[in-house]
Amino acid sequence: MSNRIDDYALIGDLQTAALVGRDGSIDWLCLPRFDSAACFAALLHDEDAGHWRIAPAGAAAATSRCYREHTLVLETTWETEDGTVRVVDLMPPRGEAPDVVRIVEGVSGSVPVEMALRLRFDYGRVRPWVRVQRSEASAIAGPDAVWLSASVPLTHDGDVLRAEFTLAAGDRAWFVLTYQAAHLPRPDPVDAERALADTTSYWTDWVDRGCYEGRWAEEVERSLVLLKALTYAPTGGIVAAATTSLPEDLGGVRNWDYRYCWLRDATFTLQALLGTGYTEEARAWREWLVRAVAGDPDKLQIMYALDGTQRLPETTLDWLAGFDGSAPVRVGNAAAGQFQLDVWGELLDGLHLARNAGLELTDPAWDVQRALLDWLEGNWQHPDNGLWEVRGPQRQFVHSKVMAWVGADRAVRTVERLDLDGPVDDWRKLAARIHADVCEHGYDADRRTFTQFYGSEGLDAALLLLPRVGFLPWDDERVIGTVEAVQRDLCREGFLLRYDTQADGGSDGLPGTEGAFLACSFWLADALHGIGRTDEAEELFTRLLALRNDVGMLSEECDPRSGEHLGNTPQAFSLVGLVNTARHLGGTTHATTETPTRGDRA
C-alpha cells in the first residue's frame, strides 16, 4: 500500500464504517458490523485483499476532497486534462441492510472513468463466486453475499468487477453495494439519489441538535460527527476506532484491534456528548455501560464487544502482510482479560457524571454500583496492568489507585446528594485510605512529581488526570510539579508520549517504540490551562488541530517529527479529547470533574 493512515476518510451507517483513500479506493469495510470480518482489507495488505476503486482512467490521488457541510457524505474531486469529475461516497443510516452508495458526477469536460471492485471475504482470505448480468452483479461465498447495482454496464475479469464509462458535464453514474447473509433473500437496493438526499438530511438534522458555539465550532462539529459515526446504533456502544492493527510503530508489532468498546472512555465520552447537547447519545452510552457490566463485579472487563459480549479471543491473520509491513494483524484483543483496576473507578465516575447531568438514576444502576464498590474495597491494593494495558508485569500504577479513590469518592457524593442507601462512612474511610496510600508511595518528593507506579523512575501522561478527577486541586504544588515533569520528560517535538517505553527496563513488555499519543497531548493542554499557563495551552491545542488530516480525522497517535498519523483511525479517544479541550479552553466548562472532598489535600 502506498497510502498513509492520514490519507483516509470515513463513511458509515452507525453500524459499520468504510475507509476511503485519496485515490478513490475503499480499502477497509467490515460487514455487517464494525467487528465483523472485512470484505475490503487492502488497508492491511494490498488490493488483492479486497478494495473498491472509482477514479478517472489513469489518475492517482484526487485533487481535493471534503465532506459536505454538516454531514458524513464524502466528495472526492479529480481535475484532469480531460475535465473534472467528482465521486460522492456515503453509507445511508442502516435500513433493511447495509449499503454503500457511490455516485460519480461529471463536472466539466468529458472524462473517462474506471471502476474496479475486488470482494474478498474473511479479511481477504475468501474469494467469492461472482456472477454478472448487465448492470447487476452478485458475489457469494459461505455465509456472506454482496450485490452490486449500477447505472452503467458491468463486466468481470475473473472475480474482479469492472466498469468503464465516460462522463460529460452534468452526467451522473451510480453504484450501490448491498450486503446480506447468504442464506437470506436479496434485500431491495436503495435508490442512490434518494439515499444521498436522506443521508444528507439525517446528518444535518443531527448536527442541528448540538449546542457548542465556541471558538472552534467547525473543528468540534467535525469531531462529533466522526464520533457519532463510531456509534453502534442498536446498542448505543461506541467503538474505540473503526480499524484493527494500524501500527503504533511502523513496521513493528504494536498493532491492536480497536473495534470494541472500552470502559476507560466512559467519562470522557459522556463529558463530550453532554457538554455539546447530545443527551440522547449520552443516555444510550450510559445504558450500554450498565448492561455490559451487569453481573459478577470481579468479572468486570476493560472492554466489551458492541453488544456487550465478553469473550474477545485474540488471533493473528498471518495471510495479511500488515499496514506498511507491520505484522502481525490481530483480530480480537487479549487485553480484555487483563486486570486493570482503573476501570472500576472509570465506570463509577461515568455513572456519577451522568446522574449529575440529569440522566435518571435507575435502581439496577445503583445496585450495580454498590456491587462494584464492595469488590473495590477488598481489591484496590492489588497490582494491575494499568490504563495502557501493558503486557509486562503487573504494577502498583498510580493512576489505577487514583481511579479506585474516584470510585469511592463518587459513591460518597451520590449518597450525600441523593440520600441513597449505602455504607457512606465505610466508603469515606476507603477513599481516605487510598488517598493517603497514593500520596505516600506514588509521589517522589525529590523530583516533585507523582510517578508511573510505586517506586518507578518513569512518568505517565495519565498523571495529568489527577487534578481533573479531583484527587488534588490544580494549585497544589504536587500537581504543578507533576505537570511540569510530565511535560519535560514525555514531550517529543511538543507532543506527549503516554509513557517512556524504555523506562524501568522497558516495563510494558513489548519491543519497539510508539508515537505521541494524541489524547494525552490534549490532556497536557488541559493541564497547562489548569495550572494557569493558558497561552501555552492554546498554542499546543492549535498545533494539535493542525495534525488533523484534510477531512478532520485523527488517529490514535502521530509521529511527533513528521505529524504522520499512527495507530487505529479514526480514534474516539482523540476526537473526545479535542472536543473536551475546546470546551475547557473556551470557558464552557472547567478541566476538573470534581473538587477534592474534605481532608483530601493531605
Side-chain angles (χ1 to χ4, degrees):
M1 295 297 297
S2 59
N3 286 337
R4 295 164 32 135
I5 293 171
D6 39 291
D7 282 332
Y8 287 97
L10 185 88
I11 57 173
D13 69 353
L14 307 180
Q15 295 193 39
T16 191
L19 290 188
V20 188
R22 295 179 193 268
D23 58 356
S25 180
I26 297 178
D27 290 341
W28 182 255
L29 175 62
C30 301
L31 290 171
R33 306 191 337 174
F34 289 104
D35 57 354
S36 299
C39 62
F40 300 140
L43 178 72
L44 300 176
H45 192 70
D46 60 28
E47 63 183 22
D48 197 50
H51 78 127
W52 183 11
R53 185 166 191 253
I54 302 176
T63 308
S64 64
R65 63 178 180 172
C66 64
Y67 286 112
R68 285 194 177 182
E69 191 176 18
H70 312 310
T71 77
L72 201 68
V73 175
L74 180 67
E75 296 184 342
T76 306
T77 302
W78 285 263
E79 297 175 1
T80 75
E81 293 181 355
D82 299 310
T84 300
V85 293
R86 178 183 301 118
V87 176
V88 180
D89 289 322
L90 62 129
M91 294 185 71
R94 185 75 60 90
E96 180 185 2
D99 300 285
V100 180
V101 177
R102 312 194 76 179
I103 299 172
V104 193
E105 303 174 339
V107 178
S108 67
S110 181
V111 183
V113 179
E114 296 177 342
M115 186 280 292
L117 189 156
R118 289 175 173 83
L119 280 159
R120 299 289 189 269
F121 296 123
D122 194 20
Y123 301 100
R125 193 177 65 87
V126 176
R127 294 171 179 257
W129 176 39
V130 175
R131 299 180 65 187
V132 175
Q133 248 185 341
R134 296 182 181 176
S135 58
E136 299 281 334
S138 63
I140 298 174
D144 301 303
V146 163
W147 292 267
L148 181 69
S149 299
S151 63
V152 297
L154 300 172
T155 62
H156 69 105
D157 173 12
D159 55 4
V160 180
L161 292 168
R162 299 189 185 276
E164 297 180 358
F165 52 97
T166 299
L167 294 182
D171 290 345
R172 294 167 76 85
W174 55 261
F175 301 84
V176 176
L177 182 148
T178 303
Y179 173 89
Q180 182 67 291
H183 67 281
L184 296 176
R186 176 183 179 176
D188 293 331
V190 299
D191 177 271
E193 299 292 351
R194 178 65 181 271
L196 173 60
D198 289 348
T199 304
T200 299
S201 295
Y202 173 86
W203 285 106
T204 53
D205 290 347
W206 186 82
V207 167
D208 283 345
R209 289 171 40 205
C211 66
Y212 177 82
E213 297 179 348
R215 285 182 284 167
W216 299 283
E218 180 181 346
E219 294 87 347
V220 167
E221 177 190 299
R222 179 50 52 195
S223 294
L224 287 168
V225 168
L226 291 168
L227 183 64
K228 174 67 172 177
L230 295 174
T231 301
Y232 184 65
T235 65
I238 301 175
V239 294
T243 57
T244 180
S245 299
L246 290 180
E248 300 167 6
D249 178 21
L250 287 176
V253 301
R254 295 171 181 261
N255 320 312
W256 316 109
D257 193 347
Y258 275 23
R259 298 171 298 157
Y260 305 113
C261 307
W262 263 256
L263 295 190
R264 74 175 185 201
D265 300 353
T267 301
F268 297 114
T269 302
L270 285 167
Q271 287 173 345
L273 293 172
L274 290 168
T276 53
Y278 291 104
T279 306
E280 180 181 327
E281 285 73 16
R283 180 177 287 108
W285 177 228
R286 194 279 304 269
E287 292 304 314
W288 180 91
L289 288 169
V290 173
R291 290 193 306 271
V293 305
D296 191 340
D298 71 355
K299 298 297 191 297
L300 188 68
Q301 297 184 179
I302 67 166
M303 73 182 87
Y304 297 84
L306 304 165
D307 57 3
T309 295
Q310 297 183 9
R311 292 184 64 253
L312 307 174
E314 182 176 300
T315 58
T316 61
L317 308 183
D318 297 330
W319 60 88
L320 297 177
F323 184 92
D324 200 23
S326 305
V329 171
R330 293 181 172 92
V331 171
N333 200 311
Q338 286 186 349
F339 171 47
Q340 295 182 23
L341 180 65
D342 66 290
V343 297
W344 277 260
E346 304 279 7
L347 177 59
L348 291 164
D349 193 27
L351 296 174
H352 176 74
L353 173 67
R355 281 192 299 273
N356 286 351
L359 300 186
E360 64 277 2
L361 174 69
T362 62
D363 289 340
W366 181 240
D367 290 341
V368 166
Q369 290 167 82
R370 288 199 56 176
L372 293 173
L373 283 157
D374 288 344
W375 184 92
L376 192 62
E377 186 169 9
N379 293 275
W380 69 269
Q381 307 96 327
H382 297 312
D384 74 316
N385 295 96
L387 170 70
W388 304 125
E389 302 163 13
V390 299
R391 300 202 175 192
Q394 293 183 338
R395 309 277 192 171
Q396 300 283 6
F397 286 100
V398 170
H399 172 263
S400 296
K401 302 302 184 194
V402 169
M403 293 312 299
W405 171 86
V406 167
D409 175 79
R410 302 311 189 253
V412 171
R413 295 175 187 277
T414 298
V415 171
E416 291 178 341
R417 182 173 300 174
L418 299 179
D419 196 28
L420 293 171
D421 181 49
V424 66
D425 289 339
D426 291 342
W427 293 339
R428 191 178 288 112
K429 292 175 183 176
L430 173 62
R433 286 200 306 274
I434 299 173
H435 197 281
D437 190 75
V438 172
C439 290
E440 179 180 356
H441 300 292
Y443 183 74
D444 186 331
D446 293 336
R447 292 189 290 160
R448 297 181 57 247
T449 182
F450 286 93
T451 58
Q452 184 177 29
F453 52 83
Y454 290 0
S456 171
E457 294 296 319
L459 300 180
D460 186 338
L463 299 170
L464 299 174
L465 301 177
L466 270 60
R468 185 162 169 172
V469 299
F471 186 79
L472 289 171
W474 285 106
D475 60 359
D476 189 290
E477 288 300 319
R478 290 166 293 184
V479 167
I480 296 171
T482 299
V483 173
E484 292 174 344
V486 167
Q487 183 182 30
R488 180 180 62 249
D489 288 9
L490 297 183
C491 266
R492 301 294 184 271
E493 305 297 328
F495 302 117
L496 206 62
L497 305 177
R498 294 187 293 182
Y499 54 89
D500 182 351
T501 59
Q502 304 307 310
D504 299 299
S507 62
D508 72 357
L510 291 167
T513 59
E514 61 180 29
F517 200 83
L518 298 183
C520 296
S521 298
F522 286 115
W523 296 348
L524 178 58
D526 295 334
L528 292 170
H529 175 64
I531 64 173
R533 291 159 57 178
T534 301
D535 289 345
E536 193 175 346
E538 293 200 6
E539 180 183 353
L540 173 56
F541 186 56
T542 299
R543 294 187 64 209
L544 285 164
L545 293 179
L547 291 175
R548 301 179 310 141
N549 74 356
D550 56 322
V551 291
M553 296 259 288
L554 281 175
S555 62
E556 181 184 31
E557 301 181 4
C558 76
D559 182 315
R561 296 183 183 277
S562 68
E564 181 176 354
H565 289 195
L566 298 170
N568 288 304
T569 195
Q571 177 81 5
F573 218 25
S574 301
L575 298 169
V576 165
L578 186 157
V579 172
N580 285 332
T581 300
R583 294 171 56 241
H584 298 156
L585 297 182
T588 57
T589 185
H590 296 291
T592 307
T593 58
E594 296 289 346
T595 54
T597 53
R598 294 182 299 276
D600 285 349
R601 299 184 64 148

